[in-house]
Amino acid sequence: MTVKTDEEFIAEIARLRAERGAVILAHNYQRPEIQDIADFTGDSLGLSRQAAATEADVIIFCGVHFMAETAYILSPDKVVVLPEIEAGCMMADMITVDGLLELKAAHPGVPVVCYVNSSAAVKAESDICCTSANAVAVANAIDADEIIMIPDRNLGYWVAQQTGKKVIPWDGFCPTHEYITVEQVEAARKRFPDAVVMVHPECRPEVTAIADAVLSTSQMFGLAATSDATDFIVGTELGIGHGLAKANPAKCFHFPTDETICPNMKVITLAKVAESLATLQPRVTVDEETRLRALAAVQRMVELG
Ligand code: 13P
Ligand code: SF4
């Protein structure tokens, strides 16, 4: 069997994309070659907006399962394909519906803010979703001093600090972001004393505490583009380095450690994208009852603007 080259896969993807009327969405952590063939790259919020707005019949979602699920929740009339169905999110897997129901029962009447990194079934039991880009705005928009925030304890801590609200967290976390330590950030700062330190809110509280900015992945693109700084220390998954360097060729992006790799974000390859365009498999769907309940939580977030 002859193995196709990247160029051959790229040509095949272009042909099949046109034939299928498909749009390819890619998260900022995807492999460089996947980011390069995507119609849109972005963070969770940007990609869910693209999924809701696109007129394409087919969405090829190069990201992890909860992201494709959110696209389906918003656009059930479209075919939503996740080129590698095993691409999950370690944090999303840390909470179950039963666990959330227990937490809700222990705090009756307290609104539940659900980070979009969660299953449709967990979203269905929540009042409103948020992403890293709008978590503080969502919490501020809720008319209550106390909120439950699931599943990321670090995002919950960050939101509590920024809003002054009492946050009851779930004890979940992202192993990739927890890997980043204060010592690593300080060491990078020593090497690049003029650099702007921007980190993701999934980082440990002691890391967000020493950062210059705490941002979603797309917000990091915004700061990189508008800041006068030429060096940046980036506290998030390494895949973002490709897009940041491409968009800002005169600037330098440094990572506190080269270990921040989300394995689930790397399993989608050009071969898998080509295959999924040819077969329109594997598809992501959600049963209609769960979808409608999850949609209410996602829509409340999307409507916040
Ligand atoms: P963003 O929405 O900031 O891209 O984050 C998604 C994510 O999974 C971070 O680990
Ligand atoms: Fe989930 Fe962490 Fe990977 Fe983001 S980086 S998809 S939170 S495991």
Side-chain angles (χ1 to χ4, degrees):
M1 200 179 77
T2 52
V3 179
K4 287 184 190 157
T5 64
D6 278 6
E7 287 66 32
E8 285 170 324
F9 278 126
I10 290 166
E12 190 175 326
I13 288 166
R15 179 176 58 78
L16 288 168
R17 171 178 14 209
E19 275 173 29
R20 296 293 195 190
V23 65
I24 300 178
L25 306 182
H27 188 265
N28 291 323
Y29 298 157
Q30 289 287 294
R31 291 169 180 267
E33 63 274 23
I34 300 296
Q35 296 186 36
D36 289 346
I37 51 111
D39 296 294
F40 299 99
T41 51
D43 64 3
S44 306
L45 183 61
L47 293 178
S48 58
R49 288 209 174 113
Q50 287 294 345
T54 182
E55 288 183 359
D57 300 324
V58 174
I59 298 174
I60 305 292
F61 211 117
C62 301
V64 292
H65 194 269
F66 76 81
M67 296 179 180
E69 230 180 25
T70 307
Y72 180 82
I73 289 167
L74 286 161
S75 306
D77 50 329
K78 298 189 195 304
V79 171
V80 178
V81 179
L82 181 62
E84 171 49 70
I85 203 68
E86 296 294 323
C89 165
M90 294 176 276
M91 178 201 289
D93 291 343
M94 288 181 189
I95 187 164
T96 59
V97 172
D98 286 349
L100 173 55
L101 292 179
E102 270 175 38
L103 188 64
K104 280 167 66 165
H107 303 278
V110 178
V112 178
V113 182
C114 173
Y115 191 27
V116 73
N117 297 38
S118 54
S119 67
V122 164
K123 289 183 178 79
E125 293 296 338
S126 303
D127 295 295
I128 186 166
C129 277
C130 74
T131 72
S132 59
N134 62 15
V136 171
V138 166
N140 274 328
I142 294 173
D143 189 17
D145 295 332
E146 192 179 19
I147 54 176
I148 292 172
M149 276 202 78
I150 55 162
D152 186 8
R153 64 186 182 206
N154 293 338
L155 185 69
Y157 181 89
W158 171 246
V159 166
Q161 214 189 30
Q162 295 302 301
T163 62
K165 296 202 184 217
K166 178 169 180 218
V167 172
I168 300 158
W170 183 262
D171 198 23
F173 61 93
C174 166
T176 303
H177 285 85
E178 285 249 324
Y179 204 84
I180 301 168
T181 63
V182 167
E183 291 71 29
Q184 294 161 354
V185 175
E186 296 296 16
R189 238 189 196 138
K190 272 208 179 91
R191 276 184 283 134
F192 308 102
D194 297 328
V196 171
V197 177
M198 52 186 187
V199 308
H200 198 275
E202 287 174 16
C203 290
R204 298 163 182 271
E206 58 271 29
V207 171
T208 51
I210 58 160
D212 298 312
V214 178
L215 302 169
S216 81
T217 58
S218 287
Q219 289 169 340
M220 290 182 185
F221 278 82
L223 181 60
T226 54
S227 167
D228 290 336
T230 53
D231 284 274
F232 297 82
I233 294 163
V234 187
T236 192
E237 211 272 351
L238 295 188
I240 197 173
H242 174 70
L244 284 172
K246 204 168 142 182
N248 306 278
K251 299 188 177 185
C252 293
F253 300 93
H254 315 281
F255 288 82
T257 155
D258 57 9
E259 304 278 346
T260 41
I261 296 172
C262 172
N264 292 308
M265 282 284 181
K266 308 303 178 195
V267 289
I268 293 176
T269 59
L270 289 174
K272 285 182 186 170
V273 174
E275 174 77 7
S276 67
L277 275 164
T279 60
L280 297 187
Q281 297 288 346
R283 290 191 196 185
V284 173
T285 58
V286 179
D287 74 81
E288 191 57 8
E289 201 229 312
T290 307
R291 188 189 74 81
L292 288 174
R293 293 172 63 219
L295 178 65
V298 175
Q299 242 165 3
R300 281 184 207 114
M301 167 186 85
V302 172
E303 280 161 13
L304 274 182

